[in-house]
Amino acid sequence: DDLHVLRSAYLNSYFQTGYKNLMDAAIIKKTEEVESADKELEDLSEAYTKLDEIPFDFKRRRLSVVVRGSEGTTVMVTKGAVEEMLSICTQVRDEDAVKDLTAEVKTKILHMVSCLNDRGFRVLALAVKDNPSPVGAFNVSDECSMCFLGILAFLDPPKESVASTLAALRSHGVTTKILTGDNTQVTRTICKAVGLEVSSILEGSDIEDLSDTQLCERAQTTTVFAKLTPEQKARIVRVLRECGHTVGYMGDGINDAAAMKQADIGISVDSAVDVAKESADIILLQKDLGVLEQGIIGGRKTFANMVKYIKMTASSNFGNVLSVLISSAMLPFLPMQSIQLILLNLIYDLSCTAIPWDGVDREMIERPRAWNASSIGKFMICFGPISSIFDVLTFAVMFLVICPLCVSGGIVWWDLPSVYSGAQLANIRAAYCMLFQTGWFVESMWSQTLVIHMIRTSKIPFIQSNASWQLTLCTSCAIALLTLIPFSPLGAVLGLCPLPLIYFAYLAICVLLYMVLTTLCKKLYIHHYGELL
């Protein structure tokens, strides 16, 4: 510990006008904590006046501040990466003496830094120079022939939740890569602490010599990138996206902003600098990286439920249109009135509002899934006609069996004129038509709603996989409501009539066969295309 080193570090961190990062804040806080131990640390901000500054940049990797003390002496204090700082120093302060910076001393300093890096410490070097160029003439060329003052070591331990979060992300098919400006030793130590395997590290200097194609190949197999500039971080993110990967980038500093803008989604934290938060799409308010896993699972559930609704609605609507086309060619009357069709779709859509709360099978969130518009057509063509098959079966049973038995004494539609005439024939035909429309109205609701449970999972519904209670409640209420409407006064207003018991016997068989056929088609579809949704 050396308060003289801390004193000079304070002057650099306090008077620099750029963004004060966490290390600057730590230096200032430490000085304030121990200023009572040394009078030279008291009121430094008042004892010195800032004269000039050379801001930090990623080529020099250092920052210089020129200050004048109350006694009138001018000093330049420079803070930066160790290797870059050693390159501009010719002397070193050893206790109270100033000596030449020999190769042996450099080796000793680098060994000390290496030991600290291996323990996970981030290290900065500090150097001073008395009486640099005057204000107006001061520039980068003054950063030479400096006196190496000492080093500043910072410990930034990873959060306890990092290791478990990385393991969870890995189990969900997410590859984690580290893009950092730190050196390889610190990065390797941190990766070891969080259980991230590091086979090789690619440094920023190596990236400069690679084309985008070469970098793309290396980036896909490399886990850790160290000593990067902000532009290099952004380039890595860009080439990974161009390789077809979906990239999320998480950062909290100024040097992360460019990479966050290049990523598909930028993630930051509430304590990040303003420019990082402005560049981010998502800002984490909790200090727990487990939120990332929850977000990924939530996103995949939302995507899966969205695909469910689109595919099941597309196939259902396709089947209904196909059924109407068939009925228009076969039947002498409309299979359903417009008001009945509108009510059917309204109740069905209301029952679908619970889909966002539906659970998702574990297999659907194990790995990321991409949007595939072409799969909608395949799904629609495969499952849409299934409902049409049972619609046509319902047409035949209602037209040839149930309506004749319950309305016309066993006489089918085309034989009615030979038995009845006039107003009696019109009344019987109206009752015949009303019972038929009611039968298809109820059967359509049952098939449309049950298809939600059939298609929401690749497993056997109600046995291997159950919908959420919200979806189950909504669909059950929808079926019950549409089944009871024909028996209510509202049914008569809508042109519906009570259904006989024989119809419900047929409906039970129809629904059972529908579920069996849909399950078989699911198996064939999954076997052919590899997945259901």
Side-chain angles (χ1 to χ4, degrees):
D1 292 342
D2 190 326
L3 295 182
H4 185 68
V5 174
L6 180 62
R7 178 176 179 273
S8 297
Y10 177 88
L11 295 176
N12 179 284
S13 295
Y14 181 84
F15 284 108
Q16 65 107 346
T17 56
Y19 165 68
K20 288 181 172 56
N21 59 30
L22 292 176
M23 289 185 285
D24 289 313
I27 291 169
I28 294 171
K29 182 179 179 181
K30 181 67 175 178
T31 305
E32 293 172 347
E33 288 176 354
V34 300
E35 63 180 351
S36 59
D38 191 334
K39 292 184 178 180
E40 291 188 5
L41 295 179
E42 293 181 357
D43 302 322
L44 288 176
S45 58
E46 298 177 5
Y48 284 84
T49 303
K50 178 182 175 181
L51 300 179
D52 216 332
E53 175 182 4
I54 302 178
F56 177 88
D57 65 59
F58 284 92
K59 291 183 178 179
R60 293 166 39 252
R61 293 170 64 84
R62 54 183 177 259
L63 182 152
S64 295
V65 172
V66 179
V67 294
R68 178 185 291 138
S70 56
E71 68 280 4
T73 57
T74 301
V75 62
M76 178 174 72
V77 184
T78 303
K79 177 175 91 252
V82 176
E83 293 177 357
E84 284 76 2
M85 291 294 295
L86 285 173
S87 68
I88 62 172
C89 292
T90 57
Q91 296 177 312
V92 60
R93 188 179 72 87
D94 187 1
E95 295 183 353
D96 293 330
V98 175
K99 302 178 180 179
D100 289 336
L101 182 61
T102 63
E104 182 182 354
V105 176
K106 280 188 178 181
T107 301
K108 180 182 178 181
I109 293 171
L110 290 174
H111 176 71
M112 183 185 298
V113 172
S114 178
C115 292
L116 288 168
N117 287 160
D118 287 338
R119 292 165 56 193
F121 283 91
R122 301 170 69 179
V123 178
L124 295 178
L126 197 69
V128 295
K129 182 178 184 180
D130 292 331
N131 300 314
S133 298
V135 177
F138 179 70
N139 55 47
V140 174
S141 63
D142 286 286
E143 293 180 334
C144 66
S145 302
M146 300 191 71
C147 178
F148 193 92
L149 196 61
I151 61 174
L152 304 160
F154 305 84
L155 184 62
D156 187 12
K159 294 182 181 297
E160 294 181 358
S161 61
V162 173
S164 59
T165 299
L166 292 180
L169 294 179
R170 196 160 44 242
S171 68
H172 289 103
V174 178
T175 300
T176 303
K177 296 182 183 295
I178 306 299
L179 279 64
T180 179
D182 289 339
N183 65 40
T184 56
Q185 283 180 280
V186 174
T187 305
R188 194 182 295 274
T189 301
I190 295 298
C191 290
K192 183 178 179 181
V194 300
L196 189 65
E197 294 184 7
V198 181
S199 56
S200 63
I201 296 180
L202 195 61
E203 293 190 356
S205 57
D206 302 322
I207 292 174
E208 292 298 323
D209 301 326
L210 300 177
S211 66
D212 282 358
T213 302
Q214 292 171 324
L215 179 58
C216 181
E217 294 175 358
R218 295 288 299 274
Q220 293 185 85
T221 57
T222 302
T223 303
V224 178
F225 303 81
K227 298 190 75 172
L228 298 178
T229 66
E231 293 76 17
Q232 290 170 338
K233 290 182 179 182
R235 184 184 173 207
I236 294 170
V237 172
R238 176 176 59 80
V239 298
L240 283 172
R241 291 188 65 193
E242 291 173 353
C243 291
H245 297 282
T246 301
V247 182
Y249 186 93
M250 182 175 182
D252 61 357
I254 294 175
N255 53 356
D256 296 311
M260 280 194 279
K261 289 182 178 180
Q262 283 287 345
D264 289 286
I265 181 148
I267 306 169
S268 192
V269 293
D270 194 36
S271 58
V273 299
D274 290 341
V275 67
K277 290 193 285 187
E278 290 171 1
S279 302
D281 301 291
I282 291 177
I283 298 175
L284 304 183
L285 300 180
Q286 297 182 21
K287 294 182 179 180
D288 182 6
L289 292 180
V291 175
L292 291 177
E293 180 196 5
Q294 297 172 23
I296 288 173
I297 294 175
R300 291 182 183 178
K301 283 184 177 180
T302 300
F303 178 79
N305 285 330
M306 179 184 70
V307 172
K308 282 181 194 177
Y309 176 76
I310 292 173
K311 289 190 173 182
M312 66 179 57
T313 302
S315 62
S316 179
N317 288 342
F318 177 71
N320 285 340
V321 170
L322 186 60
S323 298
V324 171
L325 288 174
I326 294 172
S327 66
S328 64
M330 295 175 55
L331 298 174
F333 50 81
L334 290 175
M336 197 181 300
Q337 295 181 30
S338 300
I339 186 65
Q340 297 166 354
L341 188 60
I342 291 173
L343 178 63
L344 178 67
N345 284 335
L346 175 63
I347 301 301
Y348 169 75
D349 288 339
L350 288 175
S351 67
C352 289
T353 57
I355 290 178
W357 288 274
D358 188 27
V360 176
D361 291 340
R362 181 175 56 84
E363 295 80 2
M364 295 184 68
I365 59 174
E366 282 183 340
R367 60 182 178 85
R369 295 172 180 268
W371 170 252
N372 184 6
S374 63
S375 66
I376 297 176
K378 299 171 186 175
F379 193 93
M380 182 176 67
I381 293 172
C382 179
F383 290 94
I386 296 177
S387 63
S388 296
I389 290 173
F390 288 94
D391 285 340
V392 172
L393 178 62
T394 300
F395 294 161
V397 172
M398 293 298 298
F399 191 81
L400 299 175
V401 180
I402 296 179
C403 287
L405 286 177
C406 299
V407 175
S408 57
I411 302 173
V412 295
W413 178 274
W414 50 79
D415 289 336
L416 289 178
S418 63
V419 180
Y420 303 100
S421 61
Q424 189 178 19
L425 176 61
N427 291 335
I428 290 178
R429 280 184 169 175
Y432 201 106
C433 180
M434 183 181 293
L435 183 59
F436 181 96
Q437 292 173 344
T438 304
W440 191 40
F441 176 81
V442 174
E443 185 270 338
S444 291
M445 188 59 198
W446 277 78
S447 62
Q448 274 190 332
T449 306
L450 284 175
V451 79
I452 297 175
H453 294 271
M454 299 301 300
I455 294 177
R456 61 168 293 277
T457 176
S458 58
K459 301 176 181 179
I460 300 176
F462 309 114
I463 298 175
Q464 296 178 328
S465 177
N466 292 315
S468 66
W469 68 266
Q470 294 95 333
L471 184 60
T472 302
L473 178 63
C474 285
T475 52
S476 300
C477 290
I479 289 176
L481 177 63
L482 266 294
T483 304
L484 293 174
I485 282 179
F487 298 91
S488 69
L490 178 61
V493 176
L494 298 172
L496 302 172
C497 64
L499 291 161
L501 288 177
I502 189 175
Y503 170 81
F504 290 100
Y506 158 74
L507 181 63
I509 296 172
C510 179
V511 167
L512 181 61
L513 292 176
Y514 178 77
M515 295 175 67
V516 171
L517 182 58
T518 303
T519 301
L520 293 175
C521 285
K522 280 200 306 185
K523 299 295 183 184
L524 294 174
Y525 187 91
I526 294 171
H527 177 75
H528 185 73
Y529 293 108
E531 61 182 8
L532 181 64
L533 298 173

